Amino acid sequence: MPRHTRRRLTHNPPTTEQGLRWANDLPSEILSIIASESGSAACYVTLRRVCKGWGNALSMAPFPPLPSPQVPFLLVPPRGIDSTASCPLGYAYPLPFPVPSRTASFPLPQLQGTLGCICVGSSHGWLISLGRDSSLSLINPVTADSISLPHLSTMDNTVLSFDKDSSPQYHLRQNGKSFSQFSIVHRSVLSSDPVQDPGFTVLLFLSGLTNCCFTWRKGSTRWHQYLHEPFLVEDVVFVKGVFAAINWSINLAIFDFRNLETPLMIIYEDALFKVLPKEAFLVEAAGDLWLVLKLVKSGDCRMHRGAIQVFQIHMRGDVDGSREAEAIEIQSLTNCVLFVGHGSSVCVTVDQFPWLAPDTVYFTHFYTKLGKAQNIAHHGGVYKFTVSSKAARKAFTVGQPRYSVLWNCLRFHWVTPNLNRLNP
């Protein structure tokens, strides 16, 4: 009877250096072509994170020609209050969403000067970053370019009272309330891309201040304060040379800062709607002003039909100086896709991104569920709403359950990847 001899097969896996040797030897021109063929800036960022060699090669190579605008990714704040060195500003969820899990996201790279900072706004692909010492910066998470802004401490102290000795956070006290680093900036937005428009304007609304806002332009060493009629801003967007804002009662206001010496504010007194929504968002779409109403309050787990309504706002002025605004409901977005968030809403068309479903609105929503041991867990997710059919479903769940204070203080932001670079 034949005897079979068992022989142990040994396998020596290649080391990390051997396994990545082919990657390190790949020419930067090939990497640039791969990124260009993908058509996605999110893919470009992912390629840079594969290994150090690819990151260095793509940083030195010219940026690939990518379509504009890009599909935005969702910036999710860190899990905890304290930012860490590995994840200073949060995690990015690129589109399309592969699976509704943690593996779908990737941490933003460590950017210089972002340790201890939080993101308080996103416009034209730039993040507005706030530090613990009241420092403000504009940061491009794709190119790593940054623009320093004046500290909040340069604002008029007759309006604001600062406590510089507070540790480890920077606080603002106004009308008997104390606002920490995580809630001091209520809304922040840019007028345009700082690379394409050196005369861009930064607009800030601070928490607790309803009768003033602050602007900054390149060359100024401090924030310019503008006093106006009481108006608690719910959302603000830049459209046709001016900033359009709405309050929680859905009154419309126009802020015109084209001449900083004589800024102008126009309030449309009549509310666009008599029923108050839970949240309201403004979107600039090819020069038009759209209004998105969210009719479901945070905490609700189920998303019912009609949770979202979309309107186009028409503003008219009469010869006698009276002004009127009208909101006309949009029954279908046709080939448009909206990503709505306060100060960071984006509109794209499916002509450039055919894999996107048209006539849809993506929005974030926070809800509570009964977890293990009968504990209430606070979750966040992104929902997809079809305007014509008024059907809503969850696109994916964001990360893991977090404390409710994180959902309220550390906001989500849509970020449109921007590959334009500042002049060296």
Side-chain angles (χ1 to χ4, degrees):
M1 191 171 183
R3 185 178 180 181
H4 299 279
T5 302
R6 295 184 177 181
R7 302 179 62 182
R8 184 181 298 274
L9 299 178
T10 61
H11 173 64
N12 296 322
T15 64
T16 303
E17 182 178 355
Q18 293 172 338
L20 291 179
R21 182 176 300 168
W22 68 271
N24 292 330
D25 294 338
L26 199 62
S28 59
E29 293 80 4
I30 301 298
L31 291 175
S32 182
I33 292 175
I34 295 174
S36 178
E37 290 297 326
S38 70
S40 169
C43 179
Y44 177 84
V45 176
T46 304
L47 289 175
R48 287 185 57 182
R49 294 182 56 82
V50 169
C51 63
K52 186 176 181 180
W54 283 24
N56 293 335
L58 286 174
S59 297
M60 293 183 294
F63 279 4
L66 299 178
S68 180
Q70 286 281 304
V71 173
F73 63 80
L74 181 67
L75 178 64
V76 180
R79 298 184 188 180
I81 286 290
D82 293 327
S83 301
T84 62
S86 60
C87 183
L89 293 176
Y91 291 84
Y93 281 77
L95 285 173
F97 310 116
V99 289
S101 68
R102 185 72 174 145
T103 58
S105 67
F106 60 90
L108 289 182
Q110 174 64 55
L111 302 173
Q112 183 177 5
T114 58
L115 185 60
C117 296
I118 62 171
C119 180
V120 296
S122 170
S123 293
H124 304 281
W126 290 78
L127 306 180
I128 304 174
S129 171
L130 173 63
R132 292 175 176 172
D133 59 348
S134 87
S135 60
L136 283 166
S137 300
L138 302 180
I139 300 174
N140 187 324
V142 178
T143 66
D145 288 333
S146 63
I147 300 174
S148 297
L149 305 178
H151 283 46
L152 291 180
S153 56
T154 63
M155 295 179 177
D156 191 347
N157 287 331
T158 61
V159 176
L160 309 179
S161 176
F162 297 98
D163 182 7
K164 297 183 180 180
D165 297 328
S166 61
S167 179
Q169 298 177 7
Y170 186 84
H171 287 262
L172 158 71
R173 291 192 175 96
Q174 175 68 18
N175 297 329
K177 297 181 180 180
S178 179
F179 297 94
S180 69
Q181 175 194 10
F182 304 100
S183 58
I184 186 173
V185 176
H186 179 60
R187 297 287 183 262
S188 55
V189 67
L190 307 181
S191 63
S192 53
D193 181 4
V195 176
Q196 297 181 337
D197 179 19
F200 71 100
T201 301
V202 184
L203 176 62
L204 292 183
F205 293 91
L206 301 188
S207 299
L209 299 178
T210 61
N211 62 345
C212 69
C213 57
F214 300 88
T215 61
W216 179 85
R217 284 184 183 173
K218 186 177 181 180
S220 178
T221 59
R222 58 184 296 113
W223 290 92
H224 183 275
Q225 177 188 345
Y226 172 61
L227 299 176
H228 56 75
E229 297 182 41
F231 195 87
L232 179 58
V233 172
E234 169 74 0
D235 198 13
V236 58
V237 68
F238 189 78
V239 56
K240 293 183 178 179
V242 297
F243 291 93
I246 54 171
N247 60 8
W248 192 71
S249 300
I250 316 300
N251 295 103
L252 181 67
I254 300 298
F255 294 85
D256 189 350
F257 298 106
R258 284 173 287 191
N259 187 348
L260 287 180
E261 298 298 329
T262 57
L264 178 64
M265 178 188 183
I266 302 172
I267 297 181
Y268 295 81
E269 297 293 346
D270 293 335
L272 296 175
F273 302 96
K274 301 301 180 184
V275 179
L276 299 181
K278 306 306 176 183
E279 289 184 279
F281 310 91
L282 289 176
V283 186
E284 187 273 335
D288 293 329
L289 183 60
W290 290 0
L291 172 66
V292 180
L293 302 183
K294 177 182 173 184
L295 306 178
V296 179
K297 66 180 181 179
S298 296
D300 291 349
C301 183
R302 295 184 178 181
M303 191 66 58
H304 58 72
R305 293 174 61 88
I308 293 291
Q309 289 181 300
V310 183
F311 300 83
Q312 184 173 3
I313 298 180
H314 297 276
M315 294 171 285
R316 296 186 298 270
D318 298 330
V319 292
D320 59 356
S322 62
R323 297 180 182 273
E324 297 180 353
E326 181 184 13
I328 300 177
E329 185 171 6
I330 298 175
Q331 301 299 330
S332 175
L333 297 178
T334 59
N335 65 337
C336 291
V337 181
L338 302 183
F339 304 86
V340 295
H342 290 135
S344 63
S345 296
V346 181
C347 175
V348 300
T349 62
V350 296
D351 297 337
Q352 294 176 308
F353 310 100
W355 48 266
L356 282 177
D359 189 35
T360 55
V361 178
Y362 286 96
F363 61 97
T364 58
H365 182 68
F366 312 135
Y367 57 93
T368 57
K369 292 179 63 177
L370 193 63
K372 297 180 179 179
Q374 303 300 309
N375 293 327
I376 296 179
H378 302 271
H379 295 260
V382 171
Y383 283 78
K384 175 183 176 181
F385 182 83
T386 305
V387 177
S388 57
S389 64
K390 300 188 181 302
R393 65 177 181 86
K394 186 185 298 184
F396 68 94
T397 300
V398 175
Q400 296 180 352
R402 309 182 185 191
Y403 296 109
S404 59
V405 65
L406 289 179
W407 297 129
N408 296 326
C409 296
L410 299 180
R411 309 182 188 101
F412 290 15
H413 299 279
W414 295 107
V415 184
T416 303
N418 184 343
L419 272 69
N420 295 327
R421 302 214 63 170
L422 293 171
N423 295 326

